[in-house]
Amino acid sequence: MAQPTKRILPPLLEESTFDKVLDKLSEIVGEPNASRNHLYGNLEGPQGQNCYDDLWPLGNPTDHTPSGAVRPKTVNEIQRVLQIANEYKLPLWTVSRGRNLGYGGSGAIVPGSVILDLHRMNKIIEVNEELAYAIVEPGVSFFDLYEYIQDRGYRLWPSCPALGWGSIVGNTLDRGFGYTPNGEHAEQQCGMEVVLATGEVLRTGMGALSGSPMWALYKGGYGPSVDGLFYQSNLGVVTKIGIHLTPAPACFMDCVVSVPNEEDIGALVRIMSALEREGIVQNHASIANPYRQALSSEDPLVIGRAVGPGIKGGYATNADMTKLAKEQGWGYWKAHFAIYGASGAFIDACWTIVQERFAAIPGAAATAERHEHKLGGRLNAADLPMGEIPHTGYPRLTAKDFVDIRGAKGGHIAFSPLFPPDGKQLQEWFARIRPLVEKAGFDLFSDFHIFGRYIIGIVLVVYTPAEAARAKSLFDELLKDGVERSSVSEYRTHIHFMDEVRRHYDWGNGILHRTLGSIKKTLDPNGILSQGKSGIWTSSRPLTEAIGNTRL
């Protein structure tokens, strides 16, 4: 990533004033925990970076570059930081650990913002083994919680996404997901502590009842629920959440179903989602196309065939990847999922139903790896094979190397639209966008996630710095195609596209957006918190239009 040659400043602040602000912030958190520019202080990135920014910019390299960072350790320090920000109208951009790299990382929508980095708030407040929940701060990673549970011998399987270095709080608030039965993290969140822009501290649900033991057990509380206001949001700074965990099962089956043809995707997701709705399959299925399958191969020749064209500036064609799948005995689509239970009889019965259902697709192949505690106890995830997908909650970092499959210092962006689970619309959409990806000269990297009542149809675009403009053009085309031809849009997006995706949600003349804007103006009248997040602004005129003195 090219570094700017001139100092980045917050909008509408002179350099001398900004230096004064940094002095005050340093007094609060300590000089080592305040970055006076964006070039240092962040957790190390996948390619050794320590800067704060969008590591893989799609446009001008400084479009989302912050001016510095502050790393508080406590709620009190956050309150004092917010007091300074309100006094000087200093824009902040909140990150938990800054690991949402495919969606902008630690870059900010308003260039020159100061990053409010919460990774030092890394306390695991509580883990309750019997009731299967945890209460954590934003700096707690999936690795941290897993290791905490392992160290104490708790028989719990915490959910984990593909990369375990991210924040549990950050992933949950962005509606991220993992792969255990409690993998829909937003659905498993229960109880939340939030510092508002005014510095006041709010606890949601049963946390509003002083001394209640129910904070992480019953989400509703009394009266209107407000937890949802802080998802993908800039209405406050979330400092704690409760999260429900999966009790370790006595029996576990790691399952794979492959179907031979590209056009089988509709039937595959229709059957898979029905099994999830009926509780036969307890987690969600992830589905890979041949290119994605090749990247997980242990055969270097297979991997080379997939990534070789991209290294040379081309792309792996769908025709060749389809041919490769047939040569390797794969299906075009491969679904990973799992079955969990208290007895071998239960998981065996579920597996029989799975096999019967998929027999309806000609050429479908179903395999499973079965594990059962021999003494009737609960399985320890550490004693089981890691598996390709973290169905046991065992965190890993293997997927981080995918960013370099087209060359050094590569990056990625994820197009993440939603579809109904009957499979018809997904199949039509995939047939339409596949040639768009190839026309743009990128590898077709499909990673679909099948839940009981919806599908996330992720297309991962991996690109080198020289290909960034072309990647952005493809993303623009995918957004336009989705909303205009299928009435679908993303459930989360890169910071570069947040205003655009917000405009897609236009029912009722945009009443949802206008309502959120009104709430933003009430809770954050000075606009200090993550302006533009999810297209929500305090002012009707985005601050990005008034940044004439952000660079000296």
Side-chain angles (χ1 to χ4, degrees), residues 169-232:
V169 171
N171 179 276
T172 300
L173 295 182
D174 216 34
R175 300 194 179 96
F177 53 82
Y179 297 88
T180 69
N182 290 81
E184 287 183 275
H185 296 157
E187 299 300 318
Q188 306 308 320
Q189 174 265 321
C190 186
M192 185 182 289
E193 181 182 86
V194 186
V195 183
L196 302 178
T198 59
E200 296 171 289
V201 180
L202 166 74
R203 286 191 172 183
T204 68
M206 296 305 295
L209 179 62
S210 297
S212 172
M214 298 296 296
W215 191 25
L217 295 173
Y218 178 67
K219 188 170 183 174
Y222 175 74
S225 295
V226 298
D227 298 66
L229 287 175
F230 302 102
Y231 282 92
Q232 299 182 356

Side-chain angles (χ1 to χ4, degrees), residues 261-489:
N261 304 309
E262 180 183 328
E263 57 270 23
D264 292 329
I265 184 64
L268 173 61
V269 301
R270 185 169 59 253
I271 294 171
M272 192 76 248
S273 63
L275 289 167
E276 293 178 28
R277 289 192 298 275
E278 295 171 31
I280 306 301
V281 171
Q282 295 86 20
N283 70 341
H284 89 271
S286 54
I287 297 180
N289 72 330
Y291 182 82
R292 171 67 179 86
Q293 294 177 58
L295 296 183
S296 299
S297 173
E298 296 181 357
D299 185 341
L301 294 178
V302 170
I303 297 173
R305 183 160 162 187
V307 305
I311 292 291
K312 298 175 182 177
Y315 63 93
T317 67
N318 185 60
D320 189 52
M321 291 296 97
T322 302
K323 183 179 178 182
L324 175 64
K326 292 184 182 301
E327 292 170 359
Q328 296 295 315
W330 308 336
Y332 186 94
W333 300 105
K334 183 179 183 181
H336 292 268
F337 57 97
I339 299 172
Y340 308 74
S343 73
F346 175 81
I347 66 169
D348 291 342
C350 290
W351 179 238
T352 297
I353 294 171
V354 168
Q355 292 174 298
E356 290 172 351
R357 297 281 182 88
F358 281 110
I361 302 177
T367 59
E369 189 174 295
R370 187 181 185 280
H371 304 275
E372 182 172 359
H373 197 287
K374 294 181 180 179
L375 301 178
R378 295 183 180 273
L379 293 168
N380 185 345
D383 296 333
L384 302 177
M386 281 187 67
E388 186 173 333
I389 307 296
H391 292 152
T392 66
Y394 197 130
R396 73 284 308 274
L397 290 176
T398 49
K400 75 179 179 65
D401 295 330
F402 285 169
V403 296
D404 290 327
I405 56 178
R406 294 182 63 84
K409 303 297 181 183
H412 72 83
I413 185 170
F415 181 61
S416 309
L418 294 168
F419 298 92
D422 60 11
K424 180 180 178 181
Q425 191 179 39
L426 176 71
Q427 184 168 334
E428 293 173 350
W429 169 80
F430 182 76
R432 199 170 64 241
I433 63 97
R434 176 173 51 73
L436 295 181
V437 176
E438 292 199 340
K439 181 181 177 182
F442 289 104
D443 306 300
L444 183 63
F445 190 139
S446 300
D447 188 25
F448 298 164
H449 297 268
I450 313 305
F451 295 85
R453 289 176 175 83
Y454 63 94
I455 301 165
I456 305 174
I458 294 177
V459 172
L460 200 70
V461 181
V462 180
Y463 57 94
T464 64
E467 297 171 324
R470 188 153 44 91
K472 180 183 179 299
S473 295
L474 172 60
F475 206 88
D476 286 332
E477 192 169 7
L478 291 172
L479 282 171
K480 185 174 186 292
D481 172 89
V483 74
E484 291 185 358
R485 300 189 64 179
S486 299
S487 295
V488 300
S489 191

Side-chain angles (χ1 to χ4, degrees), residues 487-525:
S487 295
V488 300
S489 191
E490 295 189 283
Y491 84 106
R492 61 173 167 171
T493 196
H494 189 281
I495 56 176
H496 202 84
F497 300 96
M498 284 185 172
D499 280 337
E500 172 63 26
V501 172
R502 183 264 301 167
R503 284 190 285 269
H504 295 174
Y505 290 79
D506 60 356
W507 187 89
N509 194 30
I511 182 62
L512 175 61
H513 172 66
R514 287 185 280 117
T515 300
L516 292 172
S518 296
I519 295 172
K520 175 68 171 172
K521 292 173 188 176
T522 300
L523 295 181
D524 184 14

